[in-house]
Amino acid sequence: MPDNKRILITGHNGYIGSVMAPWFMDQGYDVVGLDTGYFAPCTLVPDVMRIPTINKDVRDITARDLDGYDAVIHLAALSNDPIGNLNEGWTREINGQGTIRLAAAAKQAGIGRFIFSSSCIMYGMSDAAVVDETAPLAPRTEYARSKADAEAALSQMADDGFSPTSCRNGTIYGLSPRMRFDTVLNNLMGNAFTTGQVVIHSDGTPWRPVVHVQDVARAFQTVLEAPRELIHNQAFNTGADELNHQIRDLGQIVAETVPGCTLAIVPQPGADQRTYKADFAKFRRTFPDFAFWWTARDGAEELRAAFASSGLTHEQFTDKRFTRLNWLRHLLDSGLIDDALRWTTPAMRVA
Ligand SMILES: NC(=O)c1ccc[n+]([C@@H]2O[C@H](COP(=O)([O-])OP(=O)(O)OC[C@H]3O[C@@H](n4cnc5c(N)ncnc54)[C@H](O)[C@@H]3O)[C@@H](O)[C@H]2O)c1
């Protein structure tokens, strides 16, 4: 029986959460999800199980919502740079202030463990050497800043009764019921499968740490179950050194996975040449028994098989449901959410 048994997972209705919440249920946890449901209908494959849900915005959380939990895993966020660039205030409020509000409520409710889904993106992207957790943070976007600010605030809240841990993920790939095609490997695979081509618009040299969504769920479980002294007020780059890949290397893996696929590296002026390589020694040292099960090649093969069995079309691949920015724009344009990203019709929320 797990120690921290009753857990609240925010953002359980998103890409990672739709894999992580069932994973924790399977592991014997009593899981409740909390989500405002922006992407609830954006499913590529069916949900594997139904998760008891609190339908609420993290900006409205109070300590009463958090009564009776042993731990909070906080995934809910606006989850990339393009959304942050569309309106910086949304990302500041939801990712930054929303996280602080949730953590304060958790602390007030006497919850001892708080795991924050952070990002390696906060190191900024440069030609600098490999970045470990002691590297100075250089967030260059509102999204990255929101993660850095939230981590700093969580750290301030840490005390004998409240242990926040920040898991700094690389870019995540792999199959999820609420698929995203706006992350690198998922995008390359979707394009390769539906067009027979992988086209890389930079020179392909930039580095990205990638990690499979199921390994992220397992890593969070390991952090949750670790003795307090190992994780109290700590940040971990969550991944493994061999999971740092150059984009052209990912392109090659994809081209080799999809039969008949061609790879073209077409550097364009102004192409995204941002690069970063993460050092994962601290994670390895702290959790020596944890093994990342998935390689990028295994993940590409998983996606190929899933696309083949569902008959993924190019129309589906490019559908707004699978690109977070496009779906939010759709919700805004159709008046379903207002310019504060609040639902205008309560019935549209997740049941
Ligand atoms: N996917 C990645 O590659 C990646 C990498 C590093 C970090 N992360 C972080 O992991 C977390 C989950 O990422 P994801 O890829 O599953 O994103 P996602 O966009 O698929 O899911 C985010 C979920 O949060 C919910 N949410 C957003 N704003 C909310 C609010 N105000 N109140 C309640 N719920 C709200 C959304 O409805 C959605 O279900 C995020 O914090 C993200 O920043 C993701």
Side-chain angles (χ1 to χ4, degrees):
M1 194 69 82
D3 270 353
N4 293 293
K5 202 174 174 317
R6 187 167 160 77
I7 61 173
L8 182 78
I9 303 183
T10 73
H12 75 292
N13 221 216
Y15 171 66
I16 301 172
S18 298
V19 171
M20 189 182 285
W23 170 265
F24 273 97
M25 287 276 246
D26 268 347
Q27 297 299 303
Y29 283 86
D30 180 1
V31 178
V32 175
L34 183 145
D35 203 299
T36 192
Y38 291 142
F39 309 108
C42 301
T43 47
L44 182 70
V45 293
D47 277 312
V48 290
M49 62 176 77
R50 202 171 162 77
I51 306 293
T53 296
I54 300 171
N55 176 222
K56 199 156 186 176
D57 195 300
V58 288
R59 292 170 289 183
D60 301 331
I61 292 295
T62 66
R64 283 229 312 269
D65 295 311
L66 298 175
D67 226 20
Y69 294 97
D70 300 302
V72 171
I73 295 179
H74 181 38
L75 306 175
L78 300 178
S79 58
N80 63 16
D81 287 336
I83 302 173
N85 296 342
L86 183 65
N87 180 323
E88 297 188 344
W90 295 335
T91 292
R92 245 191 328 265
E93 276 176 28
I94 293 175
N95 297 12
Q97 293 154 23
T99 298
I100 296 167
R101 182 183 179 106
L102 178 73
K107 190 171 168 174
Q108 198 186 330
I111 298 174
R113 294 286 183 103
F114 188 97
I115 303 181
F116 177 51
S117 187
S118 191
S119 173
C120 287
I121 199 103
M122 62 171 60
Y123 295 117
M125 299 212 191
S126 67
D127 293 323
V130 183
V131 281
D132 69 12
E133 292 82 352
T134 63
L137 301 184
R140 306 234 168 109
T141 61
E142 196 53 45
Y143 172 66
R145 259 189 302 281
S146 75
K147 294 291 183 188
D149 291 351
E151 276 199 18
L154 288 175
S155 200
Q156 293 285 317
M157 286 183 211
D159 65 14
D160 287 350
F162 185 68
S163 296
T165 310
S166 295
C167 292
R168 297 177 181 169
N169 305 298
T171 300
I172 300 169
Y173 65 90
L175 188 66
S176 162
R178 281 182 191 73
M179 197 60 189
R180 289 180 62 174
F181 284 129
D182 54 4
T183 61
V184 61
L185 188 57
N186 292 353
N187 181 274
L188 292 175
M189 268 306 295
N191 208 43
F193 187 85
T194 61
T195 68
Q197 283 187 317
V198 189
V199 183
I200 291 174
H201 295 286
S202 69
D203 67 3
T205 58
W207 288 88
R208 292 284 181 284
V210 298
V211 59
H212 192 281
V213 62
Q214 288 176 21
D215 278 341
V216 172
R218 293 174 50 247
F220 276 49
Q221 183 188 357
T222 294
V223 170
L224 182 63
E225 293 175 359
R228 178 178 177 274
E229 61 276 13
L230 292 185
I231 55 78
H232 175 74
N233 200 12
Q234 295 293 315
F236 294 98
N237 292 345
T238 305
D241 295 334
E242 64 275 17
L243 298 176
N244 283 302
H245 285 279
Q246 286 181 293
I247 303 283
R248 65 181 175 205
D249 172 28
L250 293 175
Q252 188 63 38
I253 289 170
V254 167
E256 287 166 11
T257 303
V258 178
C261 181
T262 58
L263 168 64
I265 296 185
V266 191
Q268 286 180 353
D272 187 357
Q273 285 291 130
R274 297 171 306 165
T275 183
Y276 69 112
K277 215 172 162 183
D279 179 307
F280 296 103
K282 181 176 176 184
F283 193 91
R284 196 174 57 241
R285 229 178 19 248
T286 313
F287 310 109
D289 295 334
F290 185 88
F292 286 85
W293 285 347
W294 289 82
T295 63
R297 195 172 289 278
D298 298 335
E301 176 50 30
E302 176 206 34
L303 291 176
R304 191 206 56 74
F307 298 164
S309 77
S310 70
L312 182 77
T313 63
H314 191 60
E315 203 182 356
Q316 279 175 308
F317 165 61
T318 53
D319 191 281
K320 54 184 173 299
R321 286 176 299 151
F322 306 121
T323 295
R324 293 296 178 250
L325 177 66
N326 294 349
W327 183 257
L328 275 186
R329 275 211 172 109
H330 158 74
L331 294 179
L332 284 160
D333 292 348
S334 49
L336 292 169
I337 55 177
D338 64 18
D339 60 9
L341 297 193
R342 301 276 186 181
W343 292 105
T344 52
T345 317
M348 287 308 297
R349 298 171 170 187
V350 200

